Amino acid sequence: MSNATTARYSRRGLLAAGGALGLGALVTACGSEDSKDSGSDAKGAAKSGPWSFKDDRGKTVKLDKVPTNIVAFTGVAAALHDYGIDVKGVFGPTRTKDGKADVQAGDMDVSKLTVFGNRFDQFNVEQYAAFQPEVLITTTFDAAGSLWYVPETSKDKIAKLAPSVAISAFDRQMPKPLQRMAELAESLGADLKAAKVVEAKKRFEAASERLRKAAKSRPEIKVLAGSASDAIFYVSGSDFSIDLEYFKALGVNLVEPPAKAKEANDGWFENLSWENVDKYPADVIMMDDRASTIQPADITEATWKKLPAVKAGQVISRSPEPILSYDKCTPLVENLAKAIESAKKVA
């Protein structure tokens, strides 16, 4: 697969599948070449002394000391925050129009963050340089290892200012990126044996088992993953998305648009007009919770309101870009399990 193809894969697939339009380009990150096997080279690193971490591109970043002046994509910063690692500089959806915390900001106090760009293709390079970052951390949503939310127009300047680390959220099930984020947090000084962390992982595992049992006991319940924009309703397939791949592996009966219907969008999703929003029967609908999309309560289309799942109140939220901590992913699994357990067969 060429770099051009994979870049298009990520841009048009992940974010557009969530209903956000007018995207910029992604960037393949810089870093020292290493083997393709991923893993941390510095688990449980002390607060002082050398630091290194091999990311999911197979690249290793090495620094003289554990970085503290970290800049990260907002969702990554939120995940590290759950492990006790404070990130002061962020880029990506951080504040809503009214100044409140974006859903991707998690539990962080956004009023204390330096935000280099609050939306896609926005990144203040001069402000970033003045911040003197030691490392930039984000996710990647394609096989090429492109850095999520780093603009194509300024990628080279950004790359020269600090090394980068990428955790892959592409074509794997949720437990893997959760594990990798935990390893990254540990390398930065987090205590994975802390009671809060241990309990969060146990709750995630329990939620996963609950979902497995719910899916097994209610195989007739059909679940659709959707996202809303002004003109288009997006139906996501389970390929490539870490949450949907995991839910499918646990036995959830997901709506799967045929491959041909997803061809125009690189296999991620199918575009439907609002007139055809009832194309796929569904008993439960999971709707994209990102601020770039229209939320269920604000959808005015008559065809939406007539959907059996909508009329039955069987619509729940979904996070296509989940905050990769056990604490934040557990509710996503629990909510789906509960929805399946209690759903009426309406499709």
Side-chain angles (χ1 to χ4, degrees):
M1 182 180 297
S2 69
N3 286 341
T5 299
T6 51
R8 186 177 71 253
Y9 221 84
S10 182
R11 287 198 304 273
R12 296 178 57 191
L14 201 290
L15 205 61
L21 306 177
L23 308 182
L26 300 176
V27 50
T28 300
C30 66
S32 61
E33 293 292 339
D34 211 313
S35 70
K36 293 185 178 180
D37 295 330
S38 59
S40 171
D41 289 336
K43 294 184 177 181
K47 283 294 183 180
S48 60
W51 178 81
S52 68
F53 187 84
K54 185 191 294 183
D55 74 1
D56 289 342
R57 301 165 299 172
K59 298 177 183 292
T60 299
V61 172
K62 297 181 179 181
L63 299 174
D64 293 337
K65 63 182 181 68
V66 178
T68 55
N69 218 33
I70 301 169
V71 172
F73 173 69
T74 303
V76 171
L80 293 175
H81 177 82
D82 286 347
Y83 286 105
I85 305 300
D86 288 328
V87 176
K88 299 176 182 178
V90 300
F91 57 98
T94 307
R95 302 186 183 107
T96 59
K97 293 181 180 179
D98 58 5
K100 295 181 180 179
D102 186 276
V103 65
Q104 295 193 61
D107 295 332
M108 295 189 296
D109 183 347
V110 297
S111 68
K112 296 181 179 179
L113 297 173
T114 298
V115 183
F116 303 107
N118 198 63
R119 56 182 173 81
F120 203 88
D121 210 25
Q122 181 186 80
F123 199 114
N124 190 320
V125 181
E126 290 72 20
Q127 185 184 24
Y128 178 66
F131 190 80
Q132 297 184 324
E134 296 173 282
V135 66
L136 180 149
I137 307 175
T138 186
T139 46
T140 181
F141 285 94
D142 61 42
S146 304
L147 290 185
W148 191 231
Y149 263 75
V150 174
E152 176 70 20
T153 54
S154 54
K155 65 176 184 179
D156 294 336
K157 293 179 180 179
I158 293 170
K160 292 177 181 178
L161 295 171
S164 61
V165 167
I167 298 297
S168 178
F170 172 72
D171 196 17
R172 55 186 60 191
Q173 295 176 27
M174 187 179 281
K176 182 60 177 180
L178 280 172
Q179 175 190 338
R180 293 292 290 134
M181 189 63 73
E183 291 172 355
L184 174 60
E186 185 177 37
S187 79
L188 294 169
D191 181 7
L192 298 190
K193 295 181 180 179
K196 179 181 178 181
V197 176
V198 172
E199 179 58 29
K201 187 175 182 180
K202 286 182 178 179
R203 287 191 294 107
F204 176 80
E205 292 169 347
S208 298
E209 184 58 28
R210 178 182 176 183
L211 179 55
R212 187 193 305 277
K213 291 180 178 178
K216 184 177 181 180
S217 65
R218 302 295 308 278
E220 76 280 9
I221 299 301
K222 197 77 172 176
V223 179
L224 181 147
S227 184
S229 71
D230 288 333
I232 299 173
F233 184 81
Y234 304 86
V235 178
S236 295
S238 64
D239 294 340
F240 313 129
S241 298
I242 62 172
D243 60 333
L244 300 184
E245 282 197 13
Y246 188 47
F247 298 158
K248 185 175 182 179
L250 292 175
V252 175
N253 186 3
L254 290 168
V255 168
E256 293 283 2
K260 189 170 183 61
K262 299 182 292 181
E263 282 180 358
N265 301 299
D266 302 305
W268 282 87
F269 63 95
E270 178 180 2
N271 291 355
L272 294 179
S273 66
W274 283 103
E275 289 77 11
N276 296 314
V277 73
D278 60 353
K279 179 177 180 178
Y280 298 107
D283 302 291
V284 173
I285 301 176
M286 297 189 294
M287 289 296 289
D288 191 333
D289 67 355
R290 291 174 293 181
S292 58
T293 68
I294 301 175
Q295 296 306 299
D298 299 319
I299 298 175
T300 59
E301 299 290 340
T303 48
W304 163 262
K305 295 181 178 180
K306 291 179 181 178
L307 292 177
V310 175
K311 293 172 68 175
Q314 295 175 176
V315 179
I316 64 174
S317 65
R318 175 199 170 211
S319 297
E321 293 179 65
I323 294 171
L324 295 174
S325 72
Y326 293 106
D327 182 70
K328 294 299 182 293
C329 285
T330 295
L332 307 180
V333 182
E334 289 177 336
N335 290 344
L336 181 55
K338 182 180 179 181
I340 293 174
E341 290 166 352
S342 60
K344 296 178 182 179
K345 181 63 183 174
V346 297

